[in-house]
Amino acid sequence: MNSSEEIAVSGMSAGRSAMRMGPAELVQAAAMARRFYLEGKSKIQIAEEFGVSRFKVARVLETALERDLVRIEIRVPAELDAERSDALRARYGLRHAVVVESPADAEETPDPENLGEVAADLLGELVNEGDVLGLAWGRSTIHMAAALNRLPPCTVVQLTGVYDAGTAERGSVEAVRRAAQVSGGDAHPIYAPMLLPDEATAAALRHQTGIARAFEYFDKVTVACVSIGSWEPGISTVHDMLSDEERAHYASLGVAAEMSAHLFDAEGRRVGRDLGERCITVKADQLRRIPEVVAIAGGQRKAAAIDAVLRSGLVTSLVTDTSAADYLMAAGSTPRPALNRADPDGP
């Protein structure tokens, strides 16, 4: 992945701090440092070559660092923020957290497109041959699928219905096909809306052959990619599909976030569970059993929703931007580790 940290040695320099060493010491220290940092030789091998003890080699290498003969730089691409990424991973107890620089207009833009590009690289690392990759509906997952250029052979399954069945070919169905094409594996799309008028219609659709076949893979998914929405127009797919009366009802329950048609309050507890009975979507308990669940979400307008979903324990990894990360690092009480995946509502 492009975000991997690389350790480089800048080279030997006899700076002012190093001039206290004699020329023979400088030459020897430079040679030892080159063997150790650039050629990968062990301290024992270097000691044998120079006829000294490995303890002296260790002291020389330490001195080379102290006196600026050797400079070790950790470099990541400019768009990645390694410090925020590590801090965010530690705060939420995530397996992976990748923070990218927010674009200049990030204040009003949820899920910048570069999140999808970085998430595509991350999936290239996380997915192994023979895995089952699940993709939920979301703009960020669609951007991610479009950016995919490498995946090992795997099965790809759609985890939710679509926002609008009329746009399926340009949305999550196409994302599933694209990922399967890149991996060379089988695709199992779902040609159905995410939200249905009632429970009976949803139940009937779940038993249709193509949809039922996709549902059979839900318990086999090993890596899932999901989006997060905050409870406001244009930022939550579910919010936009409901009537004004329904929105008001769920808002009265304290909904703060939505993921794959599951609603959460600010503490990560699920609310409005009845809505799931009307939806074509993977169950929350199934998501909780998936080993790796990667959420792609960013922007200030989604920051509070991201915090809520992370507190639910359903997500193991996050790709976000600096705008959301700064909010998350300052958000309320320290959350329980996300890898403690027990349901915050209890059994």
Side-chain angles (χ1 to χ4, degrees), residues 81-99 310 316-318 320 325 328-329 335-339:
D81 192 311
E83 185 175 350
R84 282 185 175 92
S85 297
D86 188 55
L88 198 61
R89 179 200 56 77
R91 173 172 169 78
Y92 285 89
L94 296 165
R95 187 170 290 122
H96 304 284
V98 183
V99 178
L310 291 182
T316 61
S317 298
L318 175 69
T320 191
L328 294 170
M329 290 306 300
R336 70 194 180 115
L339 296 181

Side-chain angles (χ1 to χ4, degrees), residues 2 4 15 32 38 67 195 230 324:
N2 292 336
S4 299
M32 288 183 176
L38 298 182
R67 301 195 176 185
L195 180 66
S230 56

Side-chain angles (χ1 to χ4, degrees), residues 216-301:
E216 289 173 359
Y217 277 92
F218 285 2
D219 287 326
K220 303 174 185 178
V221 173
T222 49
V223 180
C225 191
V226 300
S227 297
I228 295 172
S230 56
W231 200 244
E232 59 178 300
I235 313 296
S236 165
T237 299
V238 172
H239 180 282
D240 291 347
M241 288 192 290
L242 294 173
S243 67
D244 290 341
E245 183 179 351
E246 289 170 324
R247 291 170 191 156
H249 165 67
Y250 290 115
S252 72
L253 301 179
V255 60
E258 171 259 318
M259 180 180 71
S260 301
H262 301 294
L263 310 181
F264 305 86
D265 68 11
E267 296 301 319
R269 295 181 292 258
R270 287 183 60 210
V271 296
R273 297 188 183 214
D274 61 302
L275 182 66
E277 299 303 316
R278 293 170 50 194
C279 293
I280 302 297
T281 185
V282 62
K283 294 179 179 178
D285 289 343
Q286 290 174 311
L287 278 172
R288 201 177 299 279
R289 292 193 294 269
I290 295 174
E292 186 74 75
V293 178
V294 181
I296 312 170
Q300 290 184 18
R301 293 177 66 185

Side-chain angles (χ1 to χ4, degrees), residues 13-323:
S13 171
R16 286 182 297 174
S17 59
M19 289 305 293
R20 291 191 296 269
M21 299 174 70
E25 291 177 300
L26 280 171
V27 170
Q28 185 184 68
M32 288 183 176
R34 188 175 299 279
R35 303 289 194 281
F36 185 73
Y37 290 108
L38 298 182
E39 299 175 12
K41 292 188 176 180
S42 69
K43 293 175 184 176
I44 293 176
Q45 290 174 313
I46 297 170
E48 290 175 352
E49 177 182 349
F50 287 86
V52 298
S53 71
R54 62 185 177 89
F55 301 105
K56 176 164 184 179
V57 173
R59 287 196 301 272
V60 170
L61 292 175
E62 184 177 347
T63 300
L65 284 171
E66 290 175 351
R67 301 195 176 185
D68 210 25
L69 269 76
V70 175
R71 297 177 184 177
I72 298 177
E73 299 178 353
I74 300 176
R75 294 180 177 177
V76 295
E79 68 171 354
L80 297 182
D81 192 311
E83 185 175 350
R84 282 185 175 92
S85 297
D86 188 55
L88 198 61
R89 179 200 56 77
R91 173 172 169 78
Y92 285 89
L94 296 165
R95 187 170 290 122
H96 304 284
V98 183
V99 178
V100 305
E101 288 291 337
S102 301
D105 58 351
E107 186 172 346
E108 296 299 326
T109 305
D111 300 340
E113 288 193 25
N114 60 342
L115 295 186
E117 296 168 3
V118 173
D121 280 348
L122 179 60
L123 281 190
E125 287 187 68
L126 298 180
V127 176
N128 295 307
E129 184 173 350
D131 276 348
V132 177
L133 171 63
L135 301 181
W137 159 265
R139 298 178 188 89
S140 56
T141 53
I142 292 169
H143 291 153
M144 179 278 300
L148 281 172
N149 54 39
R150 65 183 178 99
L151 273 181
C154 65
T155 299
V156 186
V157 60
Q158 193 170 324
L159 296 179
T160 64
V162 299
Y163 174 42
D164 181 349
T167 63
E169 297 299 319
R170 303 189 301 276
S172 45
V173 169
E174 178 56 31
V176 168
R177 286 178 170 172
R178 166 67 180 165
Q181 180 185 36
V182 172
S183 73
D186 294 332
H188 295 277
I190 294 177
Y191 293 94
M194 181 189 293
L195 180 66
L196 282 304
D198 52 62
E199 296 180 14
T201 305
L205 273 178
R206 292 189 197 106
H207 287 92
Q208 288 190 0
T209 302
I211 297 173
R213 187 178 298 116
F215 268 59
E216 289 173 359
Y217 277 92
F218 285 2
D219 287 326
K220 303 174 185 178
V221 173
T222 49
V223 180
C225 191
V226 300
S227 297
I228 295 172
S230 56
W231 200 244
E232 59 178 300
I235 313 296
S236 165
T237 299
V238 172
H239 180 282
D240 291 347
M241 288 192 290
L242 294 173
S243 67
D244 290 341
E245 183 179 351
E246 289 170 324
R247 291 170 191 156
H249 165 67
Y250 290 115
S252 72
L253 301 179
V255 60
E258 171 259 318
M259 180 180 71
S260 301
H262 301 294
L263 310 181
F264 305 86
D265 68 11
E267 296 301 319
R269 295 181 292 258
R270 287 183 60 210
V271 296
R273 297 188 183 214
D274 61 302
L275 182 66
E277 299 303 316
R278 293 170 50 194
C279 293
I280 302 297
T281 185
V282 62
K283 294 179 179 178
D285 289 343
Q286 290 174 311
L287 278 172
R288 201 177 299 279
R289 292 193 294 269
I290 295 174
E292 186 74 75
V293 178
V294 181
I296 312 170
Q300 290 184 18
R301 293 177 66 185
K302 279 195 175 184
I306 296 169
D307 176 62
V309 172
L310 291 182
R311 290 173 184 272
S312 75
L314 291 175
V315 170
T316 61
S317 298
L318 175 69
V319 178
T320 191
D321 65 349
T322 53
S323 177

